[in-house]
Amino acid sequence: TRGGGRLLLCTNYSYENEDGTNNDSNLVYGRPGAFLFDLNGNFIKKLNVPINNPTLRSGSYSTFVAIGGDRMFVAVNQSYNASQTYWPSEGFHIYDLNGNLVSNGTAIRYSSATSNWCCSIAANENYVVVGDLGMGTGTFGGYYTPGVYVYNHSGVYQAHWRGTDTGNSGYNGFGYSVDINEADDIVVGAPFWNSSNATSPNVGAVYYFPNFSNSGQVKMNGPATPLNTTSGSYPNHNNPNPHFGRQVKIGKTTIMTSAPFCAHFTNVNPTTGENA
């Protein structure tokens, strides 16, 4: 929650109207829902999350939430395809701690946001940080450069950047996850990042931007375990594609990240001859 005594939950498939009745036209695709509770688990209200382009949706929405200071943020990630060109159709909205919409009802997004705009969001007392992991290619038009974007609590754009060695496309996954602490230090995950000499894709990386600045950025990779190809070695600790940076969190002095596909061993069992 990071303050305010609130708990915010989200769903990607809610088909309720604000009065609790079912909206049958949304049964197939769903609509984003955000539900506000206090820290004792008492339900306060369902937030009204505006949908700016409901006729252009092509599947369920992905919803992400963040709380910072006296503001809450609900991000709606949903792209649509117009003549094989992918464009972002939604963005984030701003609420007070009572669940009242304080932004103007138009989803906030950057002018050159990709179709993966608002794939992650985090907030502190002063800022909200938005991840945009970009697209793998711009073959079909549209924008495809990833980035991490910073706004103030009024929804006014402040800055954006990406990792120095992050490619100008979504292949590295820069922005898949983001977080910010109260010192305005920002951390960004790039779980698909791959080094030139990696044995497998999706090694992953985490970028740390101290004190709200692109200068002095630090890049981190997970503790790689070397690939041992000796057939008689069992178990073989092979860790080629852990997706390091899939989720990130930052506190006062430490950074935590997940690596959900960290393989502990994968080789031929010398006893049975089967893959282990």
Side-chain angles (χ1 to χ4, degrees), residues 90-130:
E90 302 298 334
F92 70 91
H93 302 274
I94 307 172
Y95 297 80
D96 65 22
L97 293 180
N98 293 316
N100 300 309
L101 184 67
V102 296
S103 52
N104 63 13
T106 300
I108 300 170
R109 66 174 182 263
Y110 195 68
S111 57
S112 59
T114 81
S115 61
N116 277 310
W117 174 249
C118 282
C119 67
S120 58
I121 193 167
N124 67 1
E125 291 279 346
N126 302 304
Y127 300 105
V128 57
V129 180
V130 175

CSV table of all heavy atoms in Angstrom, one decimal, residues 90-130:
chain,number,residue,atom,x,y,z
A,90,GLU,N,-5.3,2.3,-24.3
A,90,GLU,CA,-5.6,2.7,-23.0
A,90,GLU,C,-4.4,3.3,-22.3
A,90,GLU,O,-3.3,3.5,-22.9
A,90,GLU,CB,-6.2,1.6,-22.1
A,90,GLU,CG,-7.5,1.0,-22.7
A,90,GLU,CD,-8.6,1.9,-22.8
A,90,GLU,OE1,-8.7,2.9,-22.1
A,90,GLU,OE2,-9.5,1.7,-23.7
A,91,GLY,N,-4.4,3.5,-21.0
A,91,GLY,CA,-3.3,4.1,-20.2
A,91,GLY,C,-3.7,4.0,-18.7
A,91,GLY,O,-4.4,3.1,-18.3
A,92,PHE,N,-3.2,5.0,-17.9
A,92,PHE,CA,-3.5,5.0,-16.5
A,92,PHE,C,-4.4,6.1,-16.1
A,92,PHE,O,-4.4,7.2,-16.7
A,92,PHE,CB,-2.2,4.9,-15.7
A,92,PHE,CG,-1.4,6.2,-15.7
A,92,PHE,CD1,-1.6,7.2,-14.7
A,92,PHE,CD2,-0.4,6.4,-16.6
A,92,PHE,CE1,-0.9,8.3,-14.6
A,92,PHE,CE2,0.4,7.6,-16.6
A,92,PHE,CZ,0.1,8.5,-15.6
A,93,HIS,N,-5.1,5.9,-15.0
A,93,HIS,CA,-6.0,6.8,-14.4
A,93,HIS,C,-5.6,7.1,-12.9
A,93,HIS,O,-5.0,6.2,-12.3
A,93,HIS,CB,-7.5,6.4,-14.5
A,93,HIS,CG,-8.0,6.1,-15.8
A,93,HIS,ND1,-8.5,7.1,-16.7
A,93,HIS,CD2,-8.0,4.9,-16.6
A,93,HIS,CE1,-8.8,6.5,-17.8
A,93,HIS,NE2,-8.5,5.2,-17.8
A,94,ILE,N,-6.0,8.2,-12.4
A,94,ILE,CA,-5.6,8.6,-11.0
A,94,ILE,C,-6.8,8.8,-10.1
A,94,ILE,O,-7.8,9.4,-10.5
A,94,ILE,CB,-4.8,10.0,-11.1
A,94,ILE,CG1,-3.6,9.9,-12.1
A,94,ILE,CG2,-4.3,10.3,-9.7
A,94,ILE,CD1,-2.9,11.2,-12.3
A,95,TYR,N,-6.7,8.2,-8.9
A,95,TYR,CA,-7.8,8.3,-8.0
A,95,TYR,C,-7.2,8.8,-6.6
A,95,TYR,O,-6.0,8.7,-6.3
A,95,TYR,CB,-8.3,6.9,-7.8
A,95,TYR,CG,-9.0,6.3,-9.0
A,95,TYR,CD1,-8.2,5.7,-10.0
A,95,TYR,CD2,-10.4,6.3,-9.1
A,95,TYR,CE1,-8.8,5.2,-11.1
A,95,TYR,CE2,-11.0,5.7,-10.3
A,95,TYR,CZ,-10.2,5.2,-11.2
A,95,TYR,OH,-10.8,4.6,-12.4
A,96,ASP,N,-8.2,9.3,-5.8
A,96,ASP,CA,-7.8,9.6,-4.4
A,96,ASP,C,-8.0,8.3,-3.6
A,96,ASP,O,-8.4,7.3,-4.1
A,96,ASP,CB,-8.6,10.8,-3.8
A,96,ASP,CG,-10.1,10.6,-3.7
A,96,ASP,OD1,-10.5,9.4,-3.7
A,96,ASP,OD2,-10.8,11.6,-3.7
A,97,LEU,N,-7.7,8.4,-2.3
A,97,LEU,CA,-7.7,7.2,-1.4
A,97,LEU,C,-9.1,6.8,-1.1
A,97,LEU,O,-9.3,5.7,-0.5
A,97,LEU,CB,-7.0,7.5,-0.1
A,97,LEU,CG,-5.4,7.7,-0.3
A,97,LEU,CD1,-4.8,7.9,1.0
A,97,LEU,CD2,-4.8,6.5,-1.0
A,98,ASN,N,-10.1,7.5,-1.5
A,98,ASN,CA,-11.5,7.1,-1.3
A,98,ASN,C,-12.1,6.5,-2.6
A,98,ASN,O,-13.3,6.2,-2.7
A,98,ASN,CB,-12.4,8.3,-0.9
A,98,ASN,CG,-12.1,8.8,0.5
A,98,ASN,OD1,-11.9,8.0,1.4
A,98,ASN,ND2,-11.9,10.1,0.7
A,99,GLY,N,-11.2,6.4,-3.6
A,99,GLY,CA,-11.7,5.8,-4.9
A,99,GLY,C,-12.3,6.7,-5.8
A,99,GLY,O,-13.0,6.2,-6.8
A,100,ASN,N,-12.2,8.0,-5.6
A,100,ASN,CA,-12.8,9.0,-6.5
A,100,ASN,C,-11.8,9.3,-7.7
A,100,ASN,O,-10.6,9.6,-7.4
A,100,ASN,CB,-13.1,10.3,-5.8
A,100,ASN,CG,-14.1,10.0,-4.7
A,100,ASN,OD1,-15.2,9.4,-4.9
A,100,ASN,ND2,-13.8,10.5,-3.5
A,101,LEU,N,-12.2,9.3,-8.9
A,101,LEU,CA,-11.4,9.6,-10.0
A,101,LEU,C,-11.0,11.1,-10.0
A,101,LEU,O,-11.9,12.0,-9.9
A,101,LEU,CB,-12.1,9.3,-11.3
A,101,LEU,CG,-11.4,9.5,-12.6
A,101,LEU,CD1,-10.2,8.5,-12.8
A,101,LEU,CD2,-12.3,9.4,-13.8
A,102,VAL,N,-9.7,11.4,-10.0
A,102,VAL,CA,-9.2,12.8,-9.9
A,102,VAL,C,-8.6,13.2,-11.3
A,102,VAL,O,-8.4,14.4,-11.5
A,102,VAL,CB,-8.3,13.0,-8.8
A,102,VAL,CG1,-8.9,12.8,-7.4
A,102,VAL,CG2,-7.0,12.1,-8.9
A,103,SER,N,-8.3,12.3,-12.1
A,103,SER,CA,-7.8,12.7,-13.5
A,103,SER,C,-9.1,12.9,-14.3
A,103,SER,O,-10.2,12.6,-13.9
A,103,SER,CB,-6.9,11.6,-14.1
A,103,SER,OG,-7.5,10.3,-14.0
A,104,ASN,N,-9.0,13.3,-15.6
A,104,ASN,CA,-10.1,13.7,-16.3
A,104,ASN,C,-10.9,12.6,-17.0
A,104,ASN,O,-11.8,12.9,-17.8
A,104,ASN,CB,-9.7,14.8,-17.3
A,104,ASN,CG,-8.7,14.3,-18.4
A,104,ASN,OD1,-8.5,13.1,-18.5
A,104,ASN,ND2,-8.1,15.2,-19.1
A,105,GLY,N,-10.5,11.4,-16.8
A,105,GLY,CA,-11.3,10.3,-17.4
A,105,GLY,C,-10.7,9.8,-18.7
A,105,GLY,O,-11.1,8.8,-19.2
A,106,THR,N,-9.7,10.5,-19.3
A,106,THR,CA,-9.0,10.1,-20.5
A,106,THR,C,-7.7,9.4,-20.0
A,106,THR,O,-6.9,9.9,-19.3
A,106,THR,CB,-8.6,11.3,-21.4
A,106,THR,OG1,-9.8,11.9,-21.8
A,106,THR,CG2,-7.9,10.8,-22.6
A,107,ALA,N,-7.5,8.2,-20.5
A,107,ALA,CA,-6.3,7.4,-20.1
A,107,ALA,C,-5.1,8.2,-20.5
A,107,ALA,O,-4.9,8.7,-21.6
A,107,ALA,CB,-6.3,6.1,-20.8
A,108,ILE,N,-4.1,8.2,-19.5
A,108,ILE,CA,-2.9,9.0,-19.7
A,108,ILE,C,-1.8,8.1,-20.4
A,108,ILE,O,-1.6,7.0,-19.9
A,108,ILE,CB,-2.4,9.5,-18.3
A,108,ILE,CG1,-3.4,10.4,-17.7
A,108,ILE,CG2,-1.1,10.2,-18.5
A,108,ILE,CD1,-3.1,10.8,-16.3
A,109,ARG,N,-1.3,8.6,-21.4
A,109,ARG,CA,-0.2,7.8,-22.1
A,109,ARG,C,0.7,8.8,-22.8
A,109,ARG,O,0.4,9.9,-23.1
A,109,ARG,CB,-0.7,6.8,-23.0
A,109,ARG,CG,-1.4,7.3,-24.2
A,109,ARG,CD,-1.8,6.1,-25.2
A,109,ARG,NE,-2.4,6.5,-26.4
A,109,ARG,CZ,-3.8,6.5,-26.5
A,109,ARG,NH1,-4.5,6.1,-25.5
A,109,ARG,NH2,-4.3,6.9,-27.6
A,110,TYR,N,1.9,8.4,-23.1
A,110,TYR,CA,2.9,9.2,-23.8
A,110,TYR,C,2.6,9.2,-25.3
A,110,TYR,O,2.0,8.2,-25.8
A,110,TYR,CB,4.3,8.6,-23.5
A,110,TYR,CG,5.4,9.6,-23.9
A,110,TYR,CD1,5.6,10.7,-23.2
A,110,TYR,CD2,6.3,9.3,-25.0
A,110,TYR,CE1,6.6,11.6,-23.6
A,110,TYR,CE2,7.3,10.1,-25.3
A,110,TYR,CZ,7.5,11.3,-24.6
A,110,TYR,OH,8.5,12.2,-25.0
A,111,SER,N,3.0,10.2,-26.0
A,111,SER,CA,2.7,10.4,-27.4
A,111,SER,C,3.2,9.3,-28.3
A,111,SER,O,2.5,8.9,-29.2
A,111,SER,CB,3.2,11.7,-27.9
A,111,SER,OG,4.6,11.8,-27.7
A,112,SER,N,4.4,8.7,-27.9
A,112,SER,CA,4.9,7.6,-28.8
A,112,SER,C,4.9,6.3,-28.0
A,112,SER,O,5.8,5.5,-28.2
A,112,SER,CB,6.3,8.0,-29.2
A,112,SER,OG,7.2,8.2,-28.1
A,113,ALA,N,3.9,6.1,-27.1
A,113,ALA,CA,3.8,4.9,-26.4
A,113,ALA,C,3.5,3.7,-27.4
A,113,ALA,O,2.9,3.9,-28.4
A,113,ALA,CB,2.6,5.0,-25.4
A,114,THR,N,4.1,2.5,-27.0
A,114,THR,CA,3.8,1.4,-27.8
A,114,THR,C,2.6,0.7,-27.4
A,114,THR,O,1.9,1.1,-26.5
A,114,THR,CB,5.0,0.4,-27.7
A,114,THR,OG1,4.9,-0.4,-26.5
A,114,THR,CG2,6.4,1.1,-27.7
A,115,SER,N,2.3,-0.4,-28.1
A,115,SER,CA,1.0,-1.2,-27.7
A,115,SER,C,1.2,-1.9,-26.4
A,115,SER,O,0.2,-2.5,-25.8
A,115,SER,CB,0.7,-2.2,-28.8
A,115,SER,OG,1.8,-3.1,-28.9
A,116,ASN,N,2.4,-1.9,-25.8
A,116,ASN,CA,2.6,-2.4,-24.5
A,116,ASN,C,2.7,-1.4,-23.4
A,116,ASN,O,3.3,-1.6,-22.3
A,116,ASN,CB,3.9,-3.3,-24.4
A,116,ASN,CG,3.6,-4.7,-25.0
A,116,ASN,OD1,2.7,-5.3,-24.5
A,116,ASN,ND2,4.4,-5.1,-25.9
A,117,TRP,N,2.2,-0.2,-23.7
A,117,TRP,CA,2.2,0.9,-22.7
A,117,TRP,C,1.4,0.4,-21.4
A,117,TRP,O,0.4,-0.2,-21.5
A,117,TRP,CB,1.5,2.1,-23.3
A,117,TRP,CG,1.2,3.3,-22.4
A,117,TRP,CD1,0.0,3.7,-21.9
A,117,TRP,CD2,2.2,4.2,-21.8
A,117,TRP,NE1,0.2,4.8,-21.1
A,117,TRP,CE2,1.5,5.1,-21.0
A,117,TRP,CE3,3.6,4.2,-21.9
A,117,TRP,CZ2,2.1,6.1,-20.3
A,117,TRP,CZ3,4.2,5.3,-21.2
A,117,TRP,CH2,3.5,6.2,-20.4
A,118,CYS,N,1.9,0.8,-20.3
A,118,CYS,CA,1.3,0.4,-19.0
A,118,CYS,C,1.4,-1.1,-18.8
A,118,CYS,O,0.4,-1.6,-18.2
A,118,CYS,CB,-0.1,0.9,-18.9
A,118,CYS,SG,-0.2,2.7,-18.5
A,119,CYS,N,2.5,-1.7,-19.1
A,119,CYS,CA,2.6,-3.1,-18.8
A,119,CYS,C,3.1,-3.3,-17.3
A,119,CYS,O,3.1,-4.4,-16.8
A,119,CYS,CB,3.6,-3.8,-19.7
A,119,CYS,SG,5.3,-3.2,-19.6
A,120,SER,N,3.5,-2.2,-16.7
A,120,SER,CA,3.8,-2.2,-15.3
A,120,SER,C,3.7,-0.8,-14.7
A,120,SER,O,3.7,0.2,-15.5
A,120,SER,CB,5.2,-2.7,-15.1
A,120,SER,OG,6.2,-1.9,-15.8
A,121,ILE,N,3.5,-0.7,-13.4
A,121,ILE,CA,3.3,0.6,-12.8
A,121,ILE,C,3.7,0.6,-11.3
A,121,ILE,O,3.5,-0.5,-10.7
A,121,ILE,CB,1.8,1.1,-12.9
A,121,ILE,CG1,1.7,2.6,-12.6
A,121,ILE,CG2,0.9,0.3,-12.1
A,121,ILE,CD1,0.4,3.2,-13.0
A,122,ALA,N,4.3,1.7,-10.8
A,122,ALA,CA,4.6,1.8,-9.4
A,122,ALA,C,4.6,3.2,-9.0
A,122,ALA,O,4.6,4.1,-9.9
A,122,ALA,CB,6.0,1.2,-9.1
A,123,ALA,N,4.5,3.5,-7.7
A,123,ALA,CA,4.3,4.9,-7.3
A,123,ALA,C,5.0,5.1,-5.9
A,123,ALA,O,5.1,4.1,-5.1
A,123,ALA,CB,2.9,5.3,-7.2
A,124,ASN,N,5.4,6.3,-5.6
A,124,ASN,CA,5.8,6.7,-4.3
A,124,ASN,C,5.0,8.0,-3.9
A,124,ASN,O,4.0,8.3,-4.5
A,124,ASN,CB,7.3,6.9,-4.2
A,124,ASN,CG,7.9,8.1,-5.0
A,124,ASN,OD1,7.1,8.8,-5.6
A,124,ASN,ND2,9.2,8.2,-5.0
A,125,GLU,N,5.5,8.8,-2.9
A,125,GLU,CA,4.8,9.9,-2.4
A,125,GLU,C,4.7,11.0,-3.5
A,125,GLU,O,3.8,11.8,-3.4
A,125,GLU,CB,5.6,10.5,-1.2
A,125,GLU,CG,5.5,9.7,0.0
A,125,GLU,CD,4.2,9.8,0.8
A,125,GLU,OE1,3.5,10.8,0.5
A,125,GLU,OE2,3.9,9.0,1.7
A,126,ASN,N,5.6,11.1,-4.5
A,126,ASN,CA,5.6,12.2,-5.4
A,126,ASN,C,5.4,11.8,-6.9
A,126,ASN,O,4.9,12.6,-7.7
A,126,ASN,CB,7.0,12.9,-5.4
A,126,ASN,CG,7.3,13.4,-4.0
A,126,ASN,OD1,6.5,14.2,-3.4
A,126,ASN,ND2,8.4,13.0,-3.4
A,127,TYR,N,5.7,10.6,-7.3
A,127,TYR,CA,5.7,10.2,-8.7
A,127,TYR,C,5.0,8.9,-8.9
A,127,TYR,O,4.9,8.0,-8.0
A,127,TYR,CB,7.2,10.1,-9.2
A,127,TYR,CG,7.9,11.4,-9.1
A,127,TYR,CD1,8.9,11.6,-8.1
A,127,TYR,CD2,7.7,12.5,-9.9
A,127,TYR,CE1,9.6,12.8,-8.0
A,127,TYR,CE2,8.4,13.7,-9.8
A,127,TYR,CZ,9.4,13.8,-8.9
A,127,TYR,OH,10.0,15.0,-8.8
A,128,VAL,N,4.7,8.7,-10.2
A,128,VAL,CA,4.2,7.4,-10.6
A,128,VAL,C,5.1,7.0,-11.8
A,128,VAL,O,5.4,7.8,-12.7
A,128,VAL,CB,2.7,7.4,-11.1
A,128,VAL,CG1,2.4,8.4,-12.1
A,128,VAL,CG2,2.3,6.0,-11.5
A,129,VAL,N,5.5,5.7,-11.8
A,129,VAL,CA,6.4,5.2,-12.8
A,129,VAL,C,5.7,4.2,-13.7
A,129,VAL,O,5.1,3.3,-13.1
A,129,VAL,CB,7.7,4.6,-12.2
A,129,VAL,CG1,8.6,4.0,-13.2
A,129,VAL,CG2,8.4,5.6,-11.3
A,130,VAL,N,5.8,4.3,-15.0
A,130,VAL,CA,5.1,3.4,-15.9
A,130,VAL,C,6.1,2.7,-16.8
A,130,VAL,O,7.1,3.3,-17.3
A,130,VAL,CB,4.2,4.2,-16.8
A,130,VAL,CG1,3.5,3.3,-17.8
A,130,VAL,CG2,3.1,4.9,-15.9
